Amino acid sequence: MKGVSDPSLIRLNIGGKKFRTTLDTLTLREPDSMLAAMFSGRHTLCQDPEEGSIFLDRDGKHFRHILNWLRDGIVPFLSDFDLLELLREAEYYQLLGLMDRIRDLLSNRKEDEEPQSELKRVDIIKCIQSEKVRLRGVNLCGLDLSKLDLSYVDFSYASLKNVFFSRANLQCAKFRDADAEGSIFHNATLREYKINILFSSHHIFFLTFLRIVLIIVFCLERCEFTGANLRGALLAAANLQSANLQDACLVDCSFCGADLRSAHLQGADLTNANLEGANLEGANLKGAKLLNANLRSANLQRAYLRYVNLRDTLEGARLDGANLLGAIR
């Protein structure tokens, strides 16, 4: 081997730190690595003429962990920060096995640190029997709340990451400043609605003399998502008619085929959102961010799009009567 006088013993200088190891250690466990290639005998190495050590211009802080991995196949117990530094070195030396182990460790730690829900589905079912349910600030991460009647429930400030809301009734629910990143709202009902109740005078004994029809209209408050974090949430085919999503984080959300008629989306961040085929008729998108959003075949009739950048987002979209004052196209 060129540049190495004793093939059984290797002296290394890694950024000023000195190490001694063997040829087998450097080549056997990770035969496809850069280290194995360097000491395969096919390459001339930079060797100190006095010490006989081979110099590598890398930070030597974690190289002892790399040698221990090559010797024993063990990843040391380190902080996440140090593991990321070790991963960077493993990537440089192309130690594929070590890279996989470090990534697995980091992934497992992340799962262990993921906050667990304070309540279970059965607890929520019991709660919603009450007239007013407030789950403000409660941790419900990862719960399956699909197909439940959650109308009027106040989820404001709650942690709702990866919650499954598919086909749930969320009419008039409140999500103000909630963190619902990665949650699934597929086919959920979140719309504002109105109930018209007709009372004929001859049906109400104390109004028989009036000879009129009383029309009482109950206007129920809309589903409230003001300032909520819905990053990456799945809202495909959801009914969000008149929902309030003002200033919400909707980055990477899927709204394919969703009903967003008259929705309030002022200042919402819809970067990379998929709104293909969504119905945004009459929606207020003033100042919304639509960078790389997909509005293909969306219905934007009579939508308010002032101060919105629509460049490269409107393929096939319907804009009849839309207010485009100040919009960038």
Side-chain angles (χ1 to χ4, degrees), residues 204-254:
I204 305 176
F205 73 94
F206 58 88
L207 291 176
T208 52
F209 61 95
L210 292 178
R211 305 288 185 185
I212 61 172
V213 175
L214 299 178
I215 303 177
I216 303 179
V217 180
F218 293 86
C219 297
L220 304 178
E221 64 178 338
R222 63 182 64 85
C223 189
E224 176 71 59
F225 280 98
T226 303
N229 176 16
L230 291 164
R231 180 185 291 268
L234 175 61
L235 292 131
N239 189 337
L240 285 153
Q241 188 176 345
S242 298
N244 189 349
L245 291 148
Q246 187 170 346
D247 297 319
C249 175
L250 306 172
V251 176
D252 296 321
C253 281
S254 174

Side-chain angles (χ1 to χ4, degrees), residues 45-302:
L45 302 174
C46 178
Q47 190 172 17
D48 188 309
E50 295 181 3
E51 297 183 352
S53 61
I54 296 165
F55 179 77
L56 295 177
D57 189 16
R58 297 294 296 178
D59 188 345
K61 176 182 177 181
H62 295 296
F63 195 76
R64 68 184 184 91
H65 299 312
I66 287 175
L67 287 179
N68 286 334
W69 163 259
L70 293 171
R71 291 165 181 148
D72 307 316
I74 295 174
V75 179
F77 184 81
L78 299 171
S79 67
D80 286 358
F81 180 80
D82 284 337
L83 275 178
L84 287 171
E85 285 190 340
L86 181 57
L87 177 60
R88 191 181 305 117
E89 295 304 300
E91 289 172 343
Y92 175 79
Y93 295 115
Q94 287 298 294
L95 300 165
L96 303 182
L98 179 56
M99 290 160 56
D100 288 342
R101 288 291 297 277
I102 294 173
R103 286 169 180 155
D104 287 344
L105 272 174
L106 291 170
S107 178
N108 290 337
R109 285 186 186 180
K110 186 176 180 181
E111 289 177 5
D112 291 341
E113 292 170 1
E114 197 69 32
Q116 299 298 311
S117 173
E118 297 174 73
L119 299 172
K120 297 181 180 179
R121 180 181 171 93
V122 64
D123 299 321
I124 302 298
I125 292 173
K126 290 177 182 177
C127 286
I128 60 179
Q129 309 304 317
S130 305
E131 186 174 343
K132 287 187 177 180
V133 182
R134 291 186 178 180
L135 296 170
R136 296 165 67 95
V138 177
N139 181 2
L140 301 174
C141 289
L143 271 191
D144 179 2
L145 300 180
S146 60
K147 302 180 182 178
L148 295 182
D149 184 358
L150 300 168
S151 52
Y152 296 99
V153 175
D154 188 351
F155 291 104
S156 297
Y157 315 108
S159 182
L160 302 170
K161 287 185 177 181
N162 302 313
V163 173
F164 196 59
F165 284 111
S166 289
R167 300 187 183 279
N169 178 9
L170 292 162
Q171 288 177 329
C172 304
K174 293 184 179 180
F175 291 83
R176 178 181 288 273
D177 292 316
D179 185 356
E181 183 173 338
S183 290
I184 296 175
F185 292 84
H186 186 65
N187 284 324
T189 300
L190 304 107
R191 63 168 297 201
E192 171 188 51
Y193 64 104
K194 296 181 179 180
I195 303 175
N196 295 334
I197 305 178
L198 303 182
F199 296 90
S200 295
S201 58
H202 64 277
H203 287 150
I204 305 176
F205 73 94
F206 58 88
L207 291 176
T208 52
F209 61 95
L210 292 178
R211 305 288 185 185
I212 61 172
V213 175
L214 299 178
I215 303 177
I216 303 179
V217 180
F218 293 86
C219 297
L220 304 178
E221 64 178 338
R222 63 182 64 85
C223 189
E224 176 71 59
F225 280 98
T226 303
N229 176 16
L230 291 164
R231 180 185 291 268
L234 175 61
L235 292 131
N239 189 337
L240 285 153
Q241 188 176 345
S242 298
N244 189 349
L245 291 148
Q246 187 170 346
D247 297 319
C249 175
L250 306 172
V251 176
D252 296 321
C253 281
S254 174
F255 290 98
C256 290
D259 186 350
L260 287 155
R261 285 176 292 171
S262 302
H264 299 262
L265 291 155
Q266 303 97 300
D269 189 349
L270 287 152
T271 301
N272 296 322
N274 189 353
L275 291 144
E276 184 170 354
N279 190 349
L280 288 148
E281 183 176 348
N284 188 344
L285 288 145
K286 181 182 178 181
K289 297 177 183 177
L290 290 167
L291 181 65
N292 296 323
N294 178 12
L295 286 162
R296 185 177 183 181
S297 303
N299 180 6
L300 287 157
Q301 291 177 298
R302 294 185 296 281

